[in-house]
Amino acid sequence: ELINRETQDFNEMCHYKWTSPESKFTKEYVCSRTTGTGRIYLRSSVLFVFEKGKRYEKRIESEEEFRTYLEKYFGKEYLQHVRNYKLKT
């Protein structure tokens, strides 16, 4: 059975995900966006490219490499937000 929800129904959960030390969103950088034929997903430790039903995965080896992919797939304006980068293994 589907239940109608309001945006505020998700406030507590969103607050937890963005502030809790246990949340993956506070442990590492996470960026995701759709493309015309798939999705780009970048974490501190790995880049995923989903394109036309196929999956490509690339391990991130350094902050420099992370910044390169962040700029390439998400734009230069996001680089200013990268602080205290830690490579997750």
Side-chain angles (χ1 to χ4, degrees):
E1 177 180 338
L2 295 177
I3 300 170
N4 282 333
R5 300 282 185 184
E6 298 293 326
T7 303
Q8 62 266 19
D9 295 340
F10 300 95
N11 287 348
E12 188 176 326
M13 177 181 56
C14 288
H15 177 76
Y16 170 82
K17 286 187 176 206
W18 289 106
T19 61
S20 171
E22 301 303 313
S23 170
K24 74 177 180 177
F25 296 104
T26 60
K27 292 180 180 179
E28 66 177 318
Y29 290 101
V30 178
C31 299
S32 179
R33 73 173 183 83
T34 60
T35 66
T37 56
R39 173 169 291 283
I40 306 289
Y41 182 75
L42 177 64
R43 292 186 355 216
S44 297
S45 59
V46 66
L47 168 71
F48 295 100
V49 178
F50 301 92
E51 195 71 31
K52 297 181 181 176
K54 296 190 179 197
R55 175 181 158 165
Y56 166 80
E57 182 176 332
K58 168 74 172 86
R59 299 280 309 157
I60 304 295
E61 302 293 334
S62 67
E63 179 176 353
E64 181 181 348
E65 187 177 16
F66 174 80
R67 286 176 172 277
T68 297
Y69 288 124
L70 183 65
E71 182 176 0
K72 178 178 179 178
Y73 292 112
F74 296 92
K76 193 174 200 168
E77 62 274 13
Y78 288 95
L79 294 174
Q80 66 184 333
H81 300 290
V82 179
R83 295 179 188 88
N84 303 319
Y85 174 89
K86 293 183 180 110
L87 182 63
K88 300 294 179 182
T89 56

